[in-house]
Amino acid sequence: MAIMITDECINCGACEPECPNTAIYEGGVEWTWGGGTSLKQVTLEDGSVVDATAKQQPISDEFYYIVTAKCTECNGFHEEPQCAAVCPVDCCVDDPEHRETEAELLGKKAFMHGE
Ligand code: SF4
Ligand code: SF4
């Protein structure tokens, strides 16, 4: 499953540089598909095509947040979620709304990094 950041986040910023997929952004900061990936454009579930450099609305304005679609739980890079490993207040936790198998997570990694 993907990892999520709870409202216990103290906005220390320690997790952001650790993410191999650039799935973590500071609250209020727009995110992109292309940040930290090799994506050029993405076809969404509704069939629309998004330029990977297009800025997307922040998912949180108050706390650091994780873009679920870019989180692989660090599969393909590390043995364990790096954000959870460095977070001083243990607020990077399993997201029960987004449960995925290891194969699915590795598929996301291949999709984003072209390998
Ligand atoms: Fe990034 Fe890994 Fe944390 Fe997911 S679990 S947000 S891929 S550091
Ligand atoms: Fe928030 Fe934890 Fe990330 Fe610090 S490491 S910004 S407390 S989620």
Side-chain angles (χ1 to χ4, degrees):
M1 67 194 81
I3 301 294
M4 61 177 282
I5 293 173
T6 75
D7 60 9
E8 290 171 27
C9 172
I10 58 171
N11 290 319
C12 73
C15 54
E16 184 182 357
E18 301 299 328
C19 181
N21 299 314
T22 309
I24 303 174
Y25 292 80
E26 185 177 357
V29 172
E30 296 164 314
W31 66 276
T32 65
W33 285 99
T37 74
S38 57
L39 293 169
K40 300 292 181 236
Q41 62 179 30
V42 175
T43 303
L44 303 182
E45 284 183 8
D46 66 3
S48 59
V49 177
V50 177
D51 188 302
T53 62
K55 294 188 182 304
Q56 309 294 327
Q57 285 295 311
I59 294 168
S60 172
D61 286 327
E62 295 179 72
F63 307 108
Y64 277 73
Y65 66 86
I66 291 172
V67 179
T68 302
K70 295 180 74 178
C71 175
T72 63
E73 210 178 318
C74 286
N75 270 273
F77 294 100
H78 304 288
E79 291 293 313
E80 60 179 357
Q82 296 301 285
C83 51
V86 301
C87 180
V89 293
D90 294 333
C91 69
C92 300
V93 300
D94 292 340
D95 183 350
E97 301 290 320
H98 296 99
R99 296 185 184 277
E100 297 156 295
T101 65
E102 184 176 343
E104 287 172 325
L105 292 165
L106 287 170
K108 285 167 85 174
K109 188 247 184 186
F111 166 69
M112 289 189 287
H113 300 281
E115 53 193 76

